[in-house]
Amino acid sequence: MNWSRLMGVLAAGLVLGGCSTSASTTEAAQSPTASAHHPHKTDAHHTADHGNGKSGCTIPAGKPTLFVDSDSDARPGQRVRIDLNDLKCDPADPVVARSSAFSGPVRLSCRDGSCEATASVSMTAEPRSHPVSVTIAGRTVARDKIRVGRSKRPSLELNQAERVARPGASVWVVFDDLYPGERGTHFTVRSAALPRPVRLTHDASEFYNPRTFAARPALKPGLADGTYTFEVLSPHGRHLMKKRLTVRASRPGDPDYLGKAYGPDLYDPGVGYADSPHKHSLRVARGGKVEVMWHDMTPDPGEETRLTATSPAFTHVLHLRSDDSKSADGDNPRFVDTATIRTDIKPGRYPVTVVAHHGRVKKVGYVIVTAR
């Protein structure tokens, strides 16, 4: 054997040996059950090998991360999020999640190396910890667990923003009937505390519970102190359940009894509030405009939609709207709107009246109407 032929044989042997070592190392890294000393190929490996042209990334390099996200202990019927991340590419073969908590396999959709799906806990799932596994081309690539809680009987919740429900305040009415056998797409709540029956519809902001029905009605503004019954009716008018809510108007000493109201401030809308003197009187020509501003550090519940400014000089009752503009940053809650002065009015001094806190607070400003 001449020298050049000998060197060629040795080089070929080194290349083949290096490929064998690399392949064994890769297989061991990819398979959590493979031994570095006794490497072997699973059926999934053979599937990937035979489909190199189509699914070369079916078995991802590295270890993907799996997150199964639920709302605390997931109740039967609740939704869960399944996220598989850290894939090197989008697998061409099916990515499937399986668990005894689900009624069957769940197919994940993949994009940019991440896969996701929304699954529902089976209504018959037992209350315990259930393993969740994700497979690609039949090979398990990641595992997690999901804790399933017990089913709860349908319930009605009444939640007010303040410690005590006030007349005119809004109340969250939430009906949860995630329970085997419950049906219906909408429900009705009625109460003597409400101006009219209120329809409960599915709360779109509630992702995990597909059977949460809610509404946020306002209590009657002049409601007398007392305890009121709220009744839930089925779509066909059948009584389902009821709950009671105590309502009490504010009293002397309560921060919202009189609030800290001041106004009305009157100014030229063309000049603006920031650049206009804060006056309780303003000269305005007939047919002109006047801006009315009202401040209150602690408005009465629901007053944001009820405040008005009245004047015999205005063309109509002025409904003051909550001013949530950026110019109100750092200022007390304030309410504003623009009034038009009547054209058929005599020149003179006319009151502008704002009544708040159920008539307990009454303040007056004045417009001085001029001919021109």
Side-chain angles (χ1 to χ4, degrees):
M1 180 181 293
N2 61 36
W3 177 254
S4 60
R5 183 177 178 184
L6 176 62
M7 291 301 294
V9 170
L10 289 175
L14 286 173
V15 171
L16 289 174
C19 290
S20 176
T21 302
S22 175
S24 299
T25 303
T26 302
E27 288 173 274
Q30 289 176 343
S31 174
T33 59
S35 167
H37 301 288
H38 302 285
H40 63 278
K41 288 193 173 185
T42 64
D43 291 340
H45 281 82
H46 286 294
T47 301
D49 289 343
H50 290 300
N52 278 337
K54 175 184 176 183
S55 53
C57 63
T58 296
I59 307 301
K63 186 177 181 181
T65 55
L66 174 64
F67 297 97
V68 182
D69 185 29
S70 63
D71 184 13
S72 186
D73 284 3
R75 292 153 53 194
Q78 281 194 335
R79 299 188 183 105
V80 296
R81 289 279 307 171
I82 304 173
D83 291 290
L84 182 70
N85 299 309
D86 301 328
L87 298 177
K88 300 306 179 183
C89 55
D90 294 341
D93 289 300
V95 181
V96 180
R98 291 178 173 85
S99 174
S100 55
F102 306 149
S103 58
V106 179
R107 181 78 174 263
L108 280 68
S109 62
C110 300
R111 183 176 181 181
D112 299 331
S114 295
C115 303
E116 62 180 17
T118 299
S120 293
V121 176
S122 171
M123 295 302 286
T124 59
E126 297 180 0
R128 60 180 176 83
S129 180
H130 293 256
V132 180
S133 63
V134 173
T135 61
I136 300 177
R139 176 193 171 195
T140 300
V141 296
R143 301 178 187 274
D144 198 2
K145 294 181 179 180
I146 178 173
R147 182 75 189 176
V148 175
R150 296 184 180 277
S151 290
K152 296 179 182 179
R153 300 290 303 182
S155 63
L156 174 64
E157 295 295 331
L158 305 174
N159 303 310
Q160 66 274 2
E162 304 297 330
R163 183 176 58 85
V164 178
R166 300 289 198 207
S170 295
V171 176
W172 273 110
V173 182
V174 182
F175 178 57
D176 178 346
D177 78 336
L178 184 66
Y179 193 77
E182 299 296 335
R183 297 290 184 270
T185 56
H186 68 274
F187 301 87
T188 302
V189 167
R190 65 183 180 188
S191 172
L194 301 175
R196 64 190 65 83
V198 175
R199 178 168 172 165
L200 303 179
T201 57
H202 179 249
D203 184 2
S205 66
E206 176 55 67
F207 169 79
Y208 294 105
N209 189 340
R211 295 202 60 79
T212 299
F213 302 88
R216 193 169 180 260
L219 302 174
K220 292 178 181 177
L223 203 59
D225 289 3
T227 301
Y228 295 85
T229 299
F230 286 69
E231 181 186 20
V232 179
L233 304 175
S234 73
H236 303 292
R238 181 172 59 90
H239 167 81
L240 297 178
M241 64 179 51
K242 62 183 179 181
K243 195 162 189 176
R244 295 166 71 81
L245 177 71
T246 299
V247 180
R248 182 179 68 78
S250 57
R251 300 171 183 175
D254 291 341
D256 57 338
Y257 182 69
L258 298 178
K260 292 186 178 180
Y262 64 93
D265 288 340
L266 309 175
Y267 59 96
D268 181 353
V271 176
Y273 180 74
D275 299 321
S276 177
H278 302 168
K279 296 181 178 180
H280 294 301
S281 64
L282 185 72
R283 299 179 68 88
V284 186
R286 287 183 294 193
K289 305 285 186 180
V290 58
E291 198 86 357
V292 181
M293 177 79 76
W294 177 260
H295 295 75
D296 193 344
M297 184 173 290
T298 312
D300 228 25
E303 211 160 46
E304 296 86 351
T305 60
R306 299 194 308 268
L307 281 172
T308 62
T310 60
S311 174
F314 294 170
T315 56
H316 59 272
V317 174
L318 188 66
H319 292 273
L320 302 179
R321 54 179 172 77
S322 178
D323 180 17
D324 56 0
S325 65
K326 192 167 180 63
S327 61
D329 286 355
D331 203 355
N332 289 338
R334 65 192 198 185
F335 310 88
V336 66
D337 208 347
T338 305
T340 302
I341 303 300
R342 289 164 49 190
T343 57
D344 59 348
I345 198 171
K346 292 181 179 180
R349 186 169 179 260
Y350 296 90
V352 176
T353 305
V354 177
V355 178
H357 294 275
H358 295 286
R360 295 187 296 269
V361 176
K362 179 180 178 180
K363 294 184 180 292
V364 180
Y366 294 92
V367 287
I368 302 169
V369 180
T370 61
R372 52 181 298 177

